[in-house]
Amino acid sequence: TDEIMQQEIRPLVAVDIIEQLHRQFAILSGGRGKDGAPIITFPEFAGFSDIPDEDFLNVVTYLTSIPSLEAASIGFIIIIDRRRDKWSAVKASLTRIAGAFPGNLQLVFVLRPSRFIQRAIADIGIKLYRDDFKMKVPIIMLNSVSDLHGYIDKSQLTRELGGTLEYGHSQWIHHRTAIENFAMTVKTTAQMLQAFGTDLAETELPNDVQCTEELLSTHTDHHCKLKDELKLAVKQGATLLTCIREPVTRSANSKLSPDELENVATVERLLAQLDETEKAFDQFWTKHHLKLEQCLQLRHFEHDFREIKLALDNLMEAQAGFADIGDSVTRVEHLLREQKQLEENGQEPLEKAQSLALHGEQLIQNNHYAVDSIRPKCVELRRICDDFTNETKKKYDILGKSLELHKQLDKASQWCEAGIYLLASQAVDKCQSQEGAETALVEIEKFLVTAKEHQLSNPKEFYNQFDMIFTPEIKANAQRILKKLEDVQEMFDKRHVSLKKLAAKQTRPVQPVAPHPESSPKRASPKITRPAGVGIYSEYHVFFHVCFVELFVSEHCNSPPFLSFSHIINELIETERVYVEELQSIIEGYAAEMDNPNLVHLIPSALQNKKEILFGNLPEIYEFHNRHEIENCIENPELLARCFLKRKEDLQVYEKYCQNKPRSEALWRQCGDSIFFQECQRKLDHKLSLDAYLLKPVQRITKYQLLLKEMLKCSKNSEGTAELEEALATVLDIIKSVNDSMHQIAITGYEGDVSELGKLLMQGSFNVWTDHKKGHNKVKDLARFKPMQRHLFLYTKMLLFCKKREENTDGHEKTASYSFKNSLKMSTVGITENVKGDNKKFEIWYNGREEVYIIQASSVELKNTWISEIRKVLTGQLEACR
């Protein structure tokens, strides 16, 4: 369809031979013969014979390629105008045309030279050399343009040949160049659309939301640019068409030449080709764009599904953790409140799940291509929601039954206690008389009538009704209470029989003997304050209490201690693994990203070059924990304590981290809400922000303390206990050092460098009195009776006295600071361990007691601890001097 650009038919375009065309030694004016043959004119050209053969061939070849194949097949008519030239020029022209004309010839008209001599020579020459020209078509020699008009209509000839055809050579070249440029534009545009279409067809759909959004944006931008290219091409073609038709538009009497009509047809054909290409491309783009949008919908759906599924799984896991049905009314009521809270917490994820499932079904109804992926997820969401709802109903049902059970058991127990108290309160000696027996009998019968509402109507049936939800402990308790019911009922029955006998008239005296059921088993029991006159009730109560304790102990304390120890080890190893993974994610997902050149523009200026302040020595802590030495203790738990002791010095990394923590928190408060941290958190898919993870090391060192304490409980008086105690002491010492150092960094006003004072041994707040021998008496008296609140920092080289201050910072909680007041060199101080009148006081004196500081601790234990540490420092100095 694109004939102009097919190089096998027309290897040349106007721009290739633009200089030769401008010389105008041959033209295609657009005129036609009577049979429609195209006319090529060779105007008068002085240097025709000097034109290079290549230039002549290129021009003639190009001119013969312009008419349509149908017109060219008729044959070309050549008009050679040599009226002002010589026969030699005529001969040269005919010879060159005969040897190099590439098209079919029909006729050759020669306007012979007008001068008499040259005309005569031409007549003779044409007769002599006709055969030499080797032309198979007639060569007609014409004397004037009038003769030419006999062969060709004037309307098909230019004004130079006496015709009326309008022809401008420069405009002709401009039109030819424009048409060929437009054809090239059409071809290039079509190729770009085809290449883009191929790229779209071969594009794999991304697997995440961000990449899908980026791909959709990229393809849409490219599509818009190509559409702009199409619009420009159409505009170019329309402008060109207007230019070609301009003569007709300008004058109604004007007509386009056949060649101009062919130009119009060519441009219209190219515009039609553009239109068809655009329609095909738009149809393809519509399908592709729909698929990309559906892909983005799918990725959002999958992302939301993963988040909601995780929330639902956590919800189901939390629900599964509610396995306890309670062992008392209070406990069951507490569990019901927790279940209610869980149900309320689950409303949001459940609603989101239902909404997402509905959204998925809408996608399916809209003929989404990924129906097979969406439908199972919708089914899964609804299933989990139904499971949670059904399980919640079951929990409520079970807890309701459990509550009813324990209320009934409590009523039964209260009835038993009340009955035992009644039996115990009936004095034995008073029951020996007929009147006393009758009174006691009335009390018993009245109690049995009024207490029915507190007693189980059918204990066995009741027990069977709730047997399915009984745990072994509850079952044992229920059986105990049921047994107690039987025992108390038996006691009442026997007492009832005895009293009836006593109420009858007796002829012999009766010795006051306590009824048998009131006898209590002799057993050791803890001291209990008894109600006055109710000894039997108390013994009976203690008896059941002791039995319950023995049952509880036998049920829960017979398992070997190693199982508990192993459980703690497993918990330590599992939490250690999670801890290391969290540290790695922070280092790689936040700290390393601060050096990412693609994210530099997101980092606030206040955070530039402050990575070490924000993260402290977190990489050092990660390297310390990444050695996985604790995992070697799972088979040999006794090695755990040795592991802590072996790496005692390495644990100091936590002290360094905690010392930097205030600076880190201050920097986070300033920059924590920046887009950079939000982007990192999104990539890591963390639910918590960075500051929560930066607290993990502080929490971890505390976790070690708790786990080691639990291990000690499980391994009392066993092998390795001493090492566990030493390991715990090591961790506690680290925590103490961390705590002390956190106070140390809050010291203000000290002009020296605290790092040169040696190790910080102790710190704490005290009441302090001063006594200066060289001071004024009133000052000394005032100093003795009015204590100062001072915070002391004991170093190996110095003792600092500071005043504690609390102030708000940036709207956050109060933070303590310590304003420096005084210091004592430990190499020049002395100590008096006891001060008369107060066992919590001690003295530190300076320069032979010229300055005496009386220090009062909050407890004797604290005082002794400080004295012990000060004594160690002074002893160490003495040994160093020796």
Side-chain angles (χ1 to χ4, degrees), residues 196 212-224 285:
F196 183 51
T212 306
E213 288 177 341
E214 291 174 355
L215 183 64
L216 180 58
S217 176
T218 301
H219 283 188
T220 303
D221 291 344
H222 199 168
H223 169 260
C224 292
W285 168 254

Side-chain angles (χ1 to χ4, degrees), residues 712-825:
L712 272 173
K713 291 179 182 178
C714 299
S715 60
K716 275 294 183 183
N717 302 323
S718 62
E719 185 178 355
T721 300
E723 290 178 327
L724 275 176
E725 290 175 345
E726 189 176 353
L728 176 59
T730 298
V731 174
L732 291 175
D733 186 54
I734 293 294
I735 294 175
K736 177 183 177 299
S737 297
V738 168
N739 183 54
D740 290 345
S741 65
M742 294 297 286
H743 288 275
Q744 171 185 270
I745 62 178
I747 297 175
T748 60
Y750 181 70
E751 296 181 355
D753 186 355
V754 293
S755 63
E756 297 177 356
L757 303 182
K759 183 180 179 181
L760 178 61
L761 303 174
M762 300 284 287
Q763 57 82 26
S765 294
F766 298 88
N767 290 329
V768 178
W769 291 263
T770 60
D771 186 4
H772 299 272
K773 287 187 176 181
K774 295 182 178 181
H776 192 275
N777 289 335
K778 290 185 177 180
V779 175
K780 291 193 291 182
D781 293 341
L782 181 64
R784 286 181 178 276
F785 293 101
K786 186 178 181 180
M788 297 177 292
Q789 298 297 319
R790 290 291 182 262
H791 202 89
L792 274 59
F793 292 87
L794 175 63
Y795 295 88
T796 54
K797 296 181 180 180
M798 192 83 74
L799 177 63
L800 300 186
F801 291 79
C802 299
K803 185 174 182 180
K804 184 177 181 181
R805 304 181 187 276
E806 290 187 347
E807 53 188 15
N808 293 324
T809 57
D810 300 331
H812 291 267
E813 67 278 359
K814 290 184 178 181
T815 56
S817 64
Y818 303 97
S819 179
F820 172 75
K821 294 297 181 182
N822 192 17
S823 63
L824 301 177
K825 290 183 179 180

Side-chain angles (χ1 to χ4, degrees), residues 197-239:
T198 302
D199 183 43
L200 296 184
E202 294 176 353
T203 299
E204 293 185 4
L205 297 178
N207 292 323
D208 60 273
V209 172
Q210 183 180 0
C211 291
T212 306
E213 288 177 341
E214 291 174 355
L215 183 64
L216 180 58
S217 176
T218 301
H219 283 188
T220 303
D221 291 344
H222 199 168
H223 169 260
C224 292
K225 291 178 181 178
L226 287 177
K227 289 289 287 184
D228 291 341
E229 294 285 343
L230 276 169
K231 290 179 182 178
L232 287 175
V234 171
K235 186 176 180 181
Q236 179 184 350
T239 303

Side-chain angles (χ1 to χ4, degrees), residues 347-407:
Q347 289 306 308
E348 183 178 356
L350 289 175
E351 289 174 0
K352 287 183 177 179
Q354 295 287 0
S355 176
L356 186 61
L358 181 61
H359 176 59
E361 291 171 354
Q362 290 173 348
L363 293 178
I364 294 173
Q365 291 175 0
N366 292 334
N367 298 320
H368 198 286
Y369 70 87
V371 173
D372 292 340
S373 174
I374 297 173
R375 181 173 285 117
K377 292 180 175 61
C378 295
V379 173
E380 176 72 4
L381 290 174
R382 294 194 183 281
R383 182 194 64 78
I384 296 177
C385 291
D386 292 342
D387 287 350
F388 179 80
T389 303
N390 294 334
E391 193 64 27
T392 299
K393 290 180 180 178
K394 291 181 181 178
K395 292 288 185 183
Y396 277 127
D397 182 57
I398 292 175
L399 288 175
K401 290 182 178 180
S402 179
L403 182 63
E404 182 184 352
L405 162 69
H406 290 295
K407 285 182 177 180

Side-chain angles (χ1 to χ4, degrees), residues 287-302:
K287 294 181 181 178
H288 178 75
H289 188 257
L290 175 61
K291 190 164 187 177
L292 276 182
E293 287 186 330
Q294 289 187 342
C295 177
L296 182 58
Q297 292 171 345
L298 177 64
R299 299 304 173 234
H300 277 297
F301 178 81
E302 291 173 339

Side-chain angles (χ1 to χ4, degrees), residues 322 331 334-343:
F322 277 92
R331 176 60 180 165
H334 175 72
L335 290 175
L336 281 170
R337 288 193 296 271
E338 287 187 343
Q339 182 64 39
K340 182 66 175 178
Q341 185 63 46
L342 178 64
E343 185 181 19

